Amino acid sequence: MSFKFPSLWIAVAAIAGAGVALPAAAQFAKPEDAIKYRKAAFTVMATHFGRVAAMANGRIPFDAKAAADNAEIATIASKLPYAGFVEGTDKGETKAKPEIWKEKARFDETARKLQDDVAKLNAAAKTGNVDQIKAAVGAVGQTCKSCHDTFRKE
Amino acid sequence: MSFKFPSLWIAVAAIAGAGVALPAAAQFAKPEDAIKYRKAAFTVMATHFGRVAAMANGRIPFDAKAAADNAEIATIASKLPYAGFVEGTDKGETKAKPEIWKEKARFDETARKLQDDVAKLNAAAKTGNVDQIKAAVGAVGQTCKSCHDTFRKE
């Protein structure tokens, strides 16, 4: 069986511009719901990003269409998890460090950088140019690592 | 902090039509990756669907724009999890019953029905009509339950 994925490039183009600001707080009934949600959104993002990275690095065969589709889904998913970093969710089943809330401006900046970098990867994936995709994958990977080093427990 | 969600209705409109068929198999390096991914995609879908349902049922105040935005994300997320039901992933950290693979055609049909029902909810959410949204939420809920009753362990 195969399922069809949408062609989302129009929507992804819109992400950079207008959008709806949803408040991060008051979206989850319980702290553990917020934690579960953000982990899930990161998993979806990482899965689709990981496929593009694997193609860029030659671990799986390059397929321009699949790279573009996966980059699109990663871009949409990159918008989601940060709403889950509600105050008081540094406890429980999470690797989130208290620094996320203590250094909120810095964390938010890292989040925005990640979203920008994934959007750039998406643009690169549209070109089908493996060198461009590889460079963009590298930038995303660095931003992931930088945030994990600072804000995520081992 | 608030993050901006994309306005995705153009993309969602495209879901029903043309799309890219990605094969369900051979997308995941390990069975546990497929299981983690499909659970994550269901969590994202359920979170956004749950907000629309809560508004439709009066548990939280109705906000037409928020209902539409959440229905859109739920619609996109509804396309994702089924790729994770790879052969051999009925073991491990999963509630998936072997019937999913034994009665594959029936499972696929349920999956498609869910995707259709969520797409209809999305269309209803665009109207801003609470009665329409409520009816569509009910249909999605029934499809969720029907699939869980048949294909998911307690």
Side-chain angles (χ1 to χ4, degrees):
Chain A
M1 174 180 70
S2 66
F3 276 90
K4 285 176 184 298
F5 281 86
S7 182
L8 293 173
W9 66 269
I10 299 167
V12 171
I15 288 174
V20 188
L22 295 178
Q27 301 260 357
F28 299 96
K30 294 174 289 181
E32 53 266 40
D33 294 345
I35 292 169
K36 184 179 177 183
Y37 172 78
R38 72 196 184 206
K39 287 160 82 170
F42 278 127
T43 293
V44 171
M45 179 177 72
T47 301
H48 293 282
F49 166 67
R51 285 181 196 152
V52 184
M55 284 187 239
N57 297 325
R59 290 198 303 277
I60 59 173
F62 183 75
D63 176 325
K65 184 72 182 146
D69 290 342
N70 280 289
E72 278 173 1
I73 299 171
T75 303
I76 292 166
S78 76
K79 303 290 169 185
L80 305 179
Y82 299 102
F85 288 94
V86 186
E87 284 277 351
T89 58
D90 58 332
K91 294 163 193 70
E93 291 288 312
T94 179
K95 291 180 183 164
K97 282 187 185 173
E99 280 73 11
I100 289 169
W101 295 273
K102 282 182 201 153
E103 301 174 34
K104 191 121 188 57
R106 192 176 163 203
F107 179 69
D108 289 356
E109 181 51 38
T110 308
R112 283 180 205 285
K113 179 157 171 38
L114 189 272
Q115 293 172 333
D116 286 350
D117 286 348
V118 177
K120 283 176 191 163
L121 170 61
N122 194 32
K126 298 275 172 300
T127 69
N129 179 310
V130 181
D131 289 336
Q132 281 190 42
I133 296 170
K134 199 168 177 173
V137 160
V140 171
Q142 288 240 326
T143 304
C144 291
K145 184 180 184 305
S146 166
C147 188
H148 292 171
D149 287 349
T150 312
F151 294 113
R152 192 177 72 163
K153 292 172 196 161
E154 287 302 308
Chain B
M1 174 179 69
S2 66
F3 276 89
K4 285 175 186 296
F5 281 87
S7 180
L8 294 172
W9 66 269
I10 299 168
V12 170
I15 288 175
V20 188
L22 295 178
Q27 300 260 358
F28 300 95
K30 294 174 291 183
E32 54 265 41
D33 294 345
I35 292 170
K36 184 179 176 183
Y37 172 78
R38 71 197 185 206
K39 287 161 81 169
F42 278 128
T43 293
V44 171
M45 180 178 71
T47 301
H48 293 282
F49 167 67
R51 285 180 196 153
V52 185
M55 283 186 240
N57 297 326
R59 289 197 304 277
I60 59 174
F62 182 74
D63 176 324
K65 183 69 181 149
D69 290 342
N70 280 289
E72 278 173 2
I73 299 171
T75 303
I76 292 167
S78 76
K79 302 290 169 183
L80 304 179
Y82 299 102
F85 288 94
V86 186
E87 283 277 350
T89 58
D90 58 332
K91 293 163 193 72
E93 291 288 313
T94 180
K95 291 180 185 166
K97 283 188 186 173
E99 279 73 9
I100 288 169
W101 295 273
K102 281 182 203 155
E103 301 173 34
K104 189 118 189 62
R106 191 175 165 206
F107 179 69
D108 290 357
E109 182 51 38
T110 308
R112 283 179 205 283
K113 178 156 170 42
L114 187 272
Q115 293 172 332
D116 286 350
D117 287 348
V118 177
K120 283 175 192 162
L121 170 60
N122 195 30
K126 299 275 171 300
T127 69
N129 180 310
V130 181
D131 288 336
Q132 281 190 43
I133 296 170
K134 199 167 178 172
V137 160
V140 171
Q142 289 240 327
T143 304
C144 291
K145 185 181 183 306
S146 166
C147 187
H148 292 173
D149 287 350
T150 311
F151 294 112
R152 193 176 71 162
K153 291 173 197 162
E154 287 302 308

